[in-house]
Amino acid sequence: MVDTFSPKQCNGCKMCGDLCPVNAISYHTDEKGFWYPVIDHSKCIRCNKCEKICPHVNGCIRYKNPPVVYAAWSKDHEIRMQSTSGGLSYELGKKVINNGGYVVGCSYADCYRKAVHMVAHTLEELEPLMQSKYLQSDTAGIYRKVKKLLDKGNLVMFVGTPCHNAALANYLDKEYDRLIQVEFICRGITSPLAHERYLDYLEDKFHSDIVYFRSKDKRYSWNAFGTAAKFQNGDEYFKNRGFDPKVVSYHRNLTVRPSCEECKCKTPNRVADITLADFWGIEKSSLNPYLEEGTSVVLINSPKAMALFQSLGDSIGFYEKNIEDVAKGNPALYHNLKLSRHWEAFWDDFGKYPFDVLVKKYVSKEDSRVRRILRRLPLIRRNRKEK
């Protein structure tokens, strides 16, 4: 007999597969591209470990003290340009590797069509881990690898979503002094299948295979980032974030994993030692000299995180801020998203239209609803005044 989990019950971290002592858990990918655990009861020994420490069911909060908050950036121009925000993740990883340690993070795989977590032990191996990938990373096996490295006394920096970090903390079930966990402020996880179909759309449009892809290209500045691709035939693609179909569908919550509506990690208390993000709204400060190339939010949540941050020395610039400054530009720090009211219809139509046409269809429906609401506002205000 085989049981499956419902979409709202699972965030896809794949920790339970690493945890199972009898390998009774495999994964099924649904028609939307999201994977879910499947339990083979012919192997299961009913230990219930998977349920007891599931991060989506039980959560995981490690640090309850208010964080020390910084706006920070790498002083290396190339690192800032190659990074999603201010380059702090790379600078932290570089320090760990130069100290003989390992960095675990997300890399593209299969010609940019998938994302996987991998282990880096050199600066060359660290480069593919730069930048957010904006699709769910396959983490099968990574928790076992991290534990093996730690049990051998290695320094390890793990980078992932808050739920990945909760999964790792629950899996390890004890504190390791030589582990630094790094999370980013996560709005929600994108379907890997939606990402693949988006790349199919680009390759059909340009009649050529993709040889380079970046989700957040900052050629026109950090605040005007877009999606960039290069093709085997020499053509190039760049579209501003407000017009690129993948980015638009994500921000309209059409391609987001259902469990992201009920994320347990969006609280003032954090699971990771360090929390990173874009410092949106920092342009209101006159202190930031690197605004056009990105500035990072850095929340320091533990003493060992502070020690690592301070060890970066002159390689970074920074100044102290407060958590309210962060929350203004990053509402996902505290608040869960809500799936689009057209989410089911979007997926029912998935594959029936080219990706850009499908996105335009459902974004237009949402825009029409917003316009109707806006048109009604004067009438609603007038009626309230009359009452």
Side-chain angles (χ1 to χ4, degrees):
M1 189 174 87
V2 176
D3 287 342
T4 60
F5 290 77
S6 71
K8 291 280 187 176
Q9 292 178 309
C10 174
N11 58 23
C13 71
K14 290 196 173 183
M15 181 268 286
C16 55
D18 278 22
L19 179 72
C20 182
V22 293
N23 296 318
I25 298 176
S26 58
Y27 294 91
H28 163 73
T29 301
D30 70 6
E31 68 281 358
K32 301 174 182 69
F34 298 117
W35 46 74
Y36 297 93
V38 179
I39 301 174
D40 184 344
H41 284 276
S42 68
K43 296 180 179 179
C44 179
I45 58 175
R46 311 313 194 265
C47 66
N48 294 325
K49 287 183 178 180
C50 53
E51 185 176 351
K52 288 176 183 176
I53 66 171
C54 170
H56 191 66
V57 173
N58 303 297
C60 177
I61 296 298
R62 296 164 67 220
Y63 302 114
K64 297 184 178 181
N65 295 325
V68 180
V69 182
Y70 295 107
W73 58 93
S74 170
K75 290 183 179 178
D76 187 310
H77 172 80
E78 288 302 318
I79 290 174
R80 292 196 307 275
M81 290 302 295
Q82 295 299 319
S83 300
T84 296
S85 48
L88 264 292
S89 180
Y90 181 86
E91 290 289 1
L92 292 165
K94 179 180 176 181
K95 175 62 69 170
V96 167
I97 286 176
N98 284 341
N99 287 337
Y102 296 79
V103 177
V104 180
C106 179
S107 172
Y108 283 120
D110 296 346
C111 299
Y112 302 99
R113 303 188 80 81
K114 300 183 185 302
V116 298
H117 259 61
M118 58 172 284
V119 179
H121 192 43
T122 67
L123 295 182
E124 184 179 5
E125 293 171 341
L126 181 63
E127 288 185 14
L129 308 189
M130 298 176 74
Q131 285 227 337
S132 298
K133 306 306 186 291
Y134 292 95
L135 73 151
Q136 185 152 28
S137 177
D138 191 337
T139 49
I142 203 66
Y143 308 101
R144 289 178 180 175
K145 290 179 181 178
V146 170
K147 187 176 189 306
K148 286 181 180 178
L149 288 170
L150 291 169
D151 286 343
K152 291 179 180 178
N154 292 294
L155 174 64
V156 178
M157 184 176 108
F158 178 89
V159 185
T161 64
C163 61
H164 285 152
N165 276 278
L168 177 62
N170 287 0
Y171 177 84
L172 295 173
D173 197 31
K174 74 173 191 177
E175 291 293 327
Y176 285 84
D177 291 338
R178 292 179 65 76
L179 171 65
I180 298 289
Q181 291 190 235
V182 180
E183 66 182 1
F184 52 87
I185 297 176
C186 179
R187 185 177 177 275
I189 289 295
T190 305
S191 160
L193 180 60
H195 173 76
E196 285 193 63
R197 293 297 173 267
Y198 167 74
L199 296 190
D200 289 341
Y201 147 72
L202 288 179
E203 290 184 339
D204 288 344
K205 181 181 177 70
F206 288 90
H207 308 290
S208 184
D209 292 338
I210 290 173
V211 295
Y212 170 88
F213 181 80
R214 176 174 291 176
S215 288
K216 196 171 181 180
D217 186 288
K218 297 190 287 189
R219 67 184 66 183
Y220 298 118
S221 87
W222 171 50
N223 277 294
F225 71 80
T227 304
K230 295 179 182 179
F231 300 86
Q232 201 169 53
N233 62 7
D235 286 343
E236 294 191 21
Y237 169 87
F238 178 87
K239 189 73 73 171
N240 180 274
R241 59 180 171 171
F243 301 96
D244 178 72
K246 181 188 173 183
V247 179
V248 170
S249 62
Y250 169 66
H251 281 281
R252 296 304 181 94
N253 302 334
L254 290 164
T255 58
V256 179
R257 191 177 181 103
S259 59
C260 293
E261 281 194 316
E262 300 177 6
C263 178
K264 302 291 192 300
C265 299
K266 291 178 179 176
T267 73
N269 304 316
R270 311 307 300 178
V271 61
D273 299 285
I274 299 174
T275 305
L276 301 177
D278 292 280
F279 213 132
W280 298 123
I282 197 68
E283 65 270 15
K284 296 176 183 178
S285 169
S286 61
L287 300 176
N288 185 359
Y290 299 122
L291 174 62
E292 290 304 304
E293 297 162 355
T295 301
S296 295
V297 167
V298 183
L299 308 184
I300 302 296
N301 303 313
S302 72
K304 60 183 175 180
M306 180 61 79
L308 177 60
F309 180 78
Q310 290 177 339
S311 74
L312 298 181
D314 291 338
S315 67
I316 65 168
F318 65 93
Y319 53 93
E320 197 161 348
K321 298 291 286 183
N322 60 61
I323 197 67
E324 290 77 19
D325 294 327
V326 175
K328 287 176 185 176
N330 287 278
L333 178 65
Y334 298 143
H335 303 295
N336 285 332
L337 56 76
K338 181 73 175 173
L339 293 182
S340 168
R341 63 200 293 268
H342 301 299
W343 191 86
E344 289 287 357
F346 174 88
W347 284 105
D348 285 343
D349 275 349
F350 196 81
K352 297 178 182 178
Y353 306 94
F355 190 80
D356 60 331
V357 175
L358 178 66
V359 172
K360 185 176 181 180
K361 176 181 178 180
Y362 286 99
V363 168
S364 296
K365 285 188 175 184
E366 187 63 31
D367 288 346
S368 296
R369 174 174 173 267
V370 171
R371 284 194 295 269
R372 287 197 301 273
I373 293 172
L374 291 175
R375 283 197 297 268
R376 289 179 59 205
L377 282 178
L379 178 61
I380 293 171
R381 293 191 186 108
R382 188 166 65 247
N383 289 340
R384 284 178 177 172
K385 287 181 180 179
E386 288 175 356
K387 290 179 180 180

